[in-house]
Amino acid sequence: MELKIKTNDNFSRVSESYLFSEIAKRVKARAESDPSAKIIRLGIGDVTLPLAPAVTEAMEKAVREMGKKETFRGYAPEYGYDFLREAISGHYGRFGIDVPAAEIYASDGAKCDCGNIVDIFGDNGILIPDPVYPVYLDSNLMAGRRTTLLPTSEETGFLPTPDGLTGEGYIVYLCSPGNPTGAAFTRDGLKSWVDFAARTGSLIIYDSAYEAFVTEDVPRSVYEIEGARECAVEICSLSKSAGFTGTRCGWCVIPHSIKAGGVPLYKLWERRQATKFNGIPYVVQRGAEAALLPEGRRQSMENVAYYRKNAALIAGALRRRGVFFTGAVNSPYVWMKCPHGLTSWEFFDLLLDRAAVVGTPGAGFGKCGEGYFRLTAFGSAEATEEAVGRLEKLL
Ligand code: MLT
């Protein structure tokens, strides 16, 4: 039956399927055509190691509490239990960054926050680096917003700069260490964006989901930069740092000093979340708290170290073959140039057909990603080693 309702026309502005859904479709077809192929998946950045023991112990205890009348809990507070907000604040504190618990809003992950935050803004110019995690662009296109892409390239190390931008009142999405390129801003590089935001009355939405992978002297949080508390919101997640891709917990920091048109931004976010979000499960929040306390973080960082070794293995092969890449050092992602002048989907198909290895075509992250390809370090060490061997033969 044909309904007489109108649907959101803005959906015609985004590609028909989400990048990782398209990849999953092609991988399924390959697996069906050759069931004996040992496909190695280094496409979507999904973790493979289990949650840390401190996390599962905390969750088990929380489950038992939920099973007793005296300790059972119903709806969780929309912004997170105080114990979790305090644990997140303490986590920042251990890096010398002061983020009060009241400015932290826990959620079911960075992806949701990156998309949902669009609700609290009006019609602004939105600046989005290219290539980029598709959620920033697609969420703004679906909401009918005016988006401008900031091209990046090999020459700029795939890091956007505010050079040459005119105008004011922008919303700028930045991710560092970045997805998909793994490139990380230096302090000066990030400071140039904070200065730009301060000068033009713009807001930075800073995605720090990969902070745990930082090894060099680069910022883990935008709040390491002076002035950021006046113009930056930070979104972070436990997905990659503590293996929460399936468990779901992230947060958004909105400093209470940030205002637009006399209205504090956090008030709008509180109103939005109170209306459309009912909080994350108590059991998950106890697990998240444990992941952020020193012992849980230490255990989770052992997993991060394991993934880092995988990244180094991939990077080593590319170095040996003289292939350009970014990432791997401060990131679980390795962003490589496609060999033999192939487009990124051509290389995707070649790698899948000839080596049964799945990566992510750079073009799926934006026009400037064409000719590049992303591999993740989140596989097992054995699978990564096997994939690297197969990859090297094709380079
Ligand atoms: C990715 O592969 O880019 C990430 O896993 C996506 C995400 O974190 O949502």
Side-chain angles (χ1 to χ4, degrees), residues 18 20 43-46 111 133 179 210 240 333 365 374 376:
Y18 184 59
F20 294 105
I44 193 164
D46 195 3
K111 181 183 191 173
Y133 179 40
N179 181 10
Y210 299 92
K240 316 297 156 104
Y333 296 131
F365 298 103
R374 194 193 77 175
T376 99

Side-chain angles (χ1 to χ4, degrees), residues 128-241:
I128 301 178
D130 178 0
V132 82
Y133 179 40
V135 174
Y136 315 147
L137 181 63
D138 288 0
S139 309
N140 279 287
L141 291 178
M142 287 173 183
R145 300 292 150 78
R146 292 177 287 125
T147 57
T148 303
L149 294 171
L150 305 170
T152 65
S153 65
E154 237 175 271
E155 288 65 44
T156 54
F158 285 103
L159 286 166
T161 72
D163 298 348
L165 284 172
T166 54
E168 57 182 21
Y170 291 107
I171 292 178
V172 190
Y173 282 81
L174 299 175
C175 178
S176 182
N179 181 10
T181 66
F185 283 112
T186 60
R187 286 201 164 68
D188 284 350
L190 189 52
K191 183 163 187 325
S192 68
W193 275 111
V194 171
D195 292 347
F196 167 82
R199 199 169 61 241
T200 61
S202 299
L203 176 77
I204 294 171
I205 298 181
Y206 189 81
D207 181 349
S208 62
Y210 299 92
E211 56 83 24
F213 286 83
V214 165
T215 52
E216 294 180 321
D217 184 25
V218 295
R220 290 165 173 275
S221 161
V222 70
Y223 302 118
E224 291 181 41
I225 309 299
E226 204 186 322
R229 282 187 52 80
E230 304 311 313
C231 61
V233 160
E234 179 160 298
I235 292 173
C236 194
S237 150
L238 290 175
S239 284
K240 316 297 156 104
S241 60

Side-chain angles (χ1 to χ4, degrees), residues 88-337:
I88 297 168
S89 173
H91 170 70
Y92 278 107
R94 280 185 284 282
F95 295 109
I97 304 164
D98 182 25
V99 177
E103 297 183 346
I104 294 166
Y105 300 89
S107 72
D108 53 349
K111 181 183 191 173
C112 317
D113 284 350
C114 288
N116 292 339
I117 201 160
V118 172
D119 278 4
I120 70 169
F121 303 117
D123 180 27
N124 301 290
I126 313 287
L127 301 177
I128 301 178
D130 178 0
V132 82
Y133 179 40
V135 174
Y136 315 147
L137 181 63
D138 288 0
S139 309
N140 279 287
L141 291 178
M142 287 173 183
R145 300 292 150 78
R146 292 177 287 125
T147 57
T148 303
L149 294 171
L150 305 170
T152 65
S153 65
E154 237 175 271
E155 288 65 44
T156 54
F158 285 103
L159 286 166
T161 72
D163 298 348
L165 284 172
T166 54
E168 57 182 21
Y170 291 107
I171 292 178
V172 190
Y173 282 81
L174 299 175
C175 178
S176 182
N179 181 10
T181 66
F185 283 112
T186 60
R187 286 201 164 68
D188 284 350
L190 189 52
K191 183 163 187 325
S192 68
W193 275 111
V194 171
D195 292 347
F196 167 82
R199 199 169 61 241
T200 61
S202 299
L203 176 77
I204 294 171
I205 298 181
Y206 189 81
D207 181 349
S208 62
Y210 299 92
E211 56 83 24
F213 286 83
V214 165
T215 52
E216 294 180 321
D217 184 25
V218 295
R220 290 165 173 275
S221 161
V222 70
Y223 302 118
E224 291 181 41
I225 309 299
E226 204 186 322
R229 282 187 52 80
E230 304 311 313
C231 61
V233 160
E234 179 160 298
I235 292 173
C236 194
S237 150
L238 290 175
S239 284
K240 316 297 156 104
S241 60
F244 270 55
T245 52
T247 307
R248 310 305 308 152
C249 184
W251 64 85
C252 181
V253 177
I254 306 192
H256 287 184
S257 51
I258 300 184
K259 288 192 186 123
V263 181
L265 278 194
Y266 79 93
K267 292 260 183 212
L268 301 181
W269 185 243
E270 288 188 353
R271 188 68 181 81
R272 191 254 172 232
Q273 293 297 80
T275 303
K276 298 193 183 181
F277 184 59
N278 249 343
I280 19 176
Y282 173 67
V283 175
V284 170
Q285 296 202 43
R286 280 296 184 198
E289 176 194 29
L292 289 158
L293 293 176
E295 181 54 15
R297 175 76 175 183
R298 190 195 62 70
Q299 293 173 2
S300 298
M301 288 304 281
E302 284 177 10
N303 291 358
V304 169
Y306 174 99
Y307 297 134
R308 275 202 194 112
K309 280 195 196 143
N310 290 344
L313 213 63
I314 301 170
L318 299 177
R319 259 187 223 109
R320 281 194 296 281
R321 296 287 172 174
V323 176
F324 169 88
F325 70 92
T326 54
V329 183
N330 297 305
S331 167
Y333 296 131
V334 187
W335 177 251
M336 60 176 282
K337 189 164 188 146

Side-chain angles (χ1 to χ4, degrees), residues 7-27:
T7 55
N8 183 347
D9 280 346
N10 293 312
F11 277 65
S12 63
R13 300 171 73 199
V14 301
S15 58
E16 203 181 322
S17 82
Y18 184 59
L19 173 61
F20 294 105
S21 316
E22 174 61 30
I23 291 173
K25 221 189 302 168
R26 292 193 191 204
V27 175

